[in-house]
Amino acid sequence: MKRAAVLGAGAWGTALAKVLADKGERVTLYSRRPELPRQIAETRMNERYLPGIELGGELTVTSDLGQALSGATLIVLAVPSHALREVVGEAHRTWPREAPIVSATKGIENDSLMLMGEVVLDVAPATGDRMTVLSGPSFAREVAVGLPTAIVVA
């Protein structure tokens, strides 16, 4: 069984973590908000960002970045665009060197006007040979409930 770390517990990160967990992967969802892991553990839902969607399977939630990354065989970046540079700056020092990186953060960085994949490579250039970018069009709720959608990985 693989172990995925999904960094970002907003609607999109939660939906991606749910899909992976529902497929049988062990998933750790990382939240920068320390109250969110407790709430999700108690209700098995991310009421703040994806209300009404039950989270089952092999899904755990933590606000400890090191714990989220420990032993990961896949890393999914789904933090908001304004936080990506900071989170990658902290995370890339400890993420497993062989784990593929999936940039699923949407948007453009405000100050640099870089695309999110460019931000990741700017902060962690050694990831270039193992990074992919996941792009829609898609909506978190539709993905979480299993509706058909089009997603491209490049």
Side-chain angles (χ1 to χ4, degrees), residues 114-128:
M114 289 180 169
L115 299 174
M116 297 296 96
E118 294 172 321
V119 172
V120 174
L121 293 176
D122 189 46
V123 176
T127 63

Side-chain angles (χ1 to χ4, degrees), residues 57-90:
E58 294 284 331
L59 178 65
T60 59
V61 187
T62 184
S63 60
D64 181 324
L65 187 57
Q67 179 185 352
L69 292 168
S70 179
T73 58
L74 173 69
I75 299 166
V76 179
L77 303 172
V79 297
S81 59
H82 67 270
L84 184 66
R85 183 174 293 276
E86 178 185 340
V87 171
V88 170
E90 186 178 342

Side-chain angles (χ1 to χ4, degrees), residues 14 18 44-47 50-55 140-141 144-145:
T14 302
K18 180 187 184 312
R44 297 309 298 164
M45 290 184 208
N46 187 340
E47 290 294 342
L50 207 57
I53 304 294
E54 188 172 330
L55 303 174
R141 178 166 290 285
V145 298

